[in-house]
Amino acid sequence: MAGSRSLTRRTRPPSRRLAQPAALVLVAAAVAFCGWSGWTSWQAGADPRAAYAAERDQVLEAGRRHLTVLNTIDGAAAGAGLARWQDATTGPLREELAAGRERARQAVEQAGTTARAGVIEAAVTALDLESGDAQIIAAVEIEVTGPGRAASVERKRFQAGLARTGAGWKLKSFTAIPAVGE
């Protein structure tokens, strides 16, 4: 039968018939998941509680870091330590440190005392995002060493005020809190 067409229709194997719709379902599921993920991520970013929590975490981290700096000084390199003190502060506290810097440097170098601090615990007690003000409290452990004296460890508590600056959160006030019974 030359010239006659076959009346039978060619059919795809069953595995190919199922593969195309399955691929479409997978693509649709992937698109739906991406859309849902983007929407929930956008919602989380728009949540003011999330922004407040993120800022609170930044305040706490900056407060811990700056309190460590202000309680640490190396008797052999007092000038560098005092420069770090100024970098950690802002406002009147920074001005006060700058005014007494040379006198403090001489006293530390003459005594040869070294203090190394670490914040044990800290918490944000107040945070005003609008004004850029915050308060923290912290417990700090300070190891003090010096020529002719054994190392000693002091534990102190501090309340500190922080202000938001162009360079992040910086200490604007710093007060020792006496322990009960002192």
Side-chain angles (χ1 to χ4, degrees):
M1 299 202 153
S4 74
R5 290 182 138 165
S6 170
L7 295 177
T8 60
R9 205 165 132 183
R10 287 191 171 165
T11 59
R12 289 189 225 160
S15 61
R16 283 200 175 183
R17 276 186 272 159
L18 296 175
Q20 192 173 23
L24 290 174
V25 167
L26 287 174
V27 168
V31 168
F33 178 76
C34 288
W36 175 79
S37 296
W39 182 80
T40 56
S41 181
W42 175 78
Q43 287 289 86
D47 185 357
R49 293 174 299 182
Y52 184 86
E55 198 72 20
R56 183 193 63 229
D57 291 346
Q58 288 179 10
V59 166
L60 185 59
E61 190 274 325
R64 290 176 73 98
R65 186 176 65 249
H66 296 323
L67 283 172
T68 298
V69 166
L70 283 184
N71 285 285
T72 299
I73 192 85
D74 183 348
L82 294 169
R84 284 189 292 277
W85 286 12
Q86 279 195 266
D87 289 343
T89 59
T90 190
L93 179 57
R94 181 182 173 88
E95 292 167 11
E96 182 182 328
L97 291 172
R101 184 173 176 175
E102 185 56 29
R103 197 172 46 251
R105 184 191 61 76
Q106 290 173 354
V108 170
E109 286 177 352
Q110 184 178 8
T113 303
T114 296
R116 302 219 186 285
V119 174
I120 301 166
E121 291 290 332
V124 175
T125 58
L127 175 58
D128 184 342
L129 293 180
E130 239 177 80
S131 68
D133 285 327
Q135 292 283 322
I136 68 166
I137 56 172
V140 179
E141 187 171 85
I142 307 162
E143 181 184 25
V144 181
T145 59
R149 73 182 265 193
S152 64
V153 175
E154 302 172 7
R155 289 180 182 83
K156 296 185 177 184
R157 297 181 309 155
F158 295 99
Q159 179 175 10
L162 290 95
R164 187 186 314 118
T165 70
W169 289 93
K170 303 250 181 157
L171 293 177
K172 67 177 186 175
S173 64
F174 176 62
T175 308
I177 302 171
V180 177
E182 282 186 7

